[in-house]
C-alpha cells in the first residue's frame, strides 16, 4: 500500500488560535491603556458621579477616621510613661 497522502499541517489550527488570543490580549491592553489616558470634562464627570452618594460616603469615612483617631488617642494616653 502506498501512502500518497500529504502530511497534514497539525500546527495550523493551534497557531491560528494562538495568534487570535494574542490579538485579543493586545486589544485588551490597548483598551486599558487608552482608557487610562482619557481626559474627562467637568460635565462628563458630573453625569457619571452621584454627588449625593459621594457626599454620604465622604461623611461616613470622616466619621470612621474620627473614631479611629479617638481610639488611638485614648490608647496612647493609657500607656504608662515608665520606660
Amino acid at each position: 500500500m502506498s501512502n500518497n497522502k500529504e502530511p497534514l499541517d497539525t500546527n495550523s489550527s493551534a497557531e491560528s488560535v494562538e495568534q487570535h488570543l494574542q490579538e485579543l490580549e493586545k486589544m485588551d491592553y490597548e483598551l486599558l491603556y487608552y482608557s487610562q489616558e482619557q481626559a474627562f470634562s467637568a460635565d462628563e464627570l458630573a453625569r457619571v458621579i452621584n454627588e449625593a452618594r459621594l457626599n454620604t460616603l465622604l461623611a461616613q469615612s470622616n466619621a470612621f477616621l474620627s473614631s479611629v483617631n479617638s481610639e488611638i488617642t485614648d490608647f496612647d494616653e493609657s500607656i504608662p510613661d515608665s520606660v
Side-chain angles (χ1 to χ4, degrees):
M1 237 172 146
S2 68
N3 190 355
N4 291 340
K5 293 181 183 178
E6 294 179 19
L8 294 175
D9 187 5
T10 56
N11 291 333
S12 65
S13 295
E15 288 173 354
S16 295
V17 169
E18 179 65 27
Q19 182 181 2
H20 181 69
L21 290 175
Q22 288 175 354
E23 289 172 8
L24 287 175
E25 185 177 298
K26 181 180 176 188
M27 288 171 44
D28 287 346
Y29 174 77
E30 288 174 352
L31 180 62
L32 176 64
Y33 177 79
Y34 289 117
S35 68
Q36 292 174 351
E37 296 294 318
Q38 201 171 30
F40 294 100
S41 70
D43 292 336
E44 289 173 318
L45 288 176
R47 282 197 311 265
V48 212
I49 295 174
N50 180 341
E51 191 173 347
R53 180 68 178 138
L54 179 60
N55 287 333
T56 301
L57 290 172
L58 288 172
Q60 289 173 352
S61 66
N62 285 342
F64 172 75
L65 291 174
S66 293
S67 170
V68 169
N69 189 34
S70 173
E71 292 295 323
I72 290 172
T73 302
D74 291 346
F75 179 77
D76 285 344
E77 290 173 355
S78 67
I79 296 175
D81 288 333
S82 60
V83 177

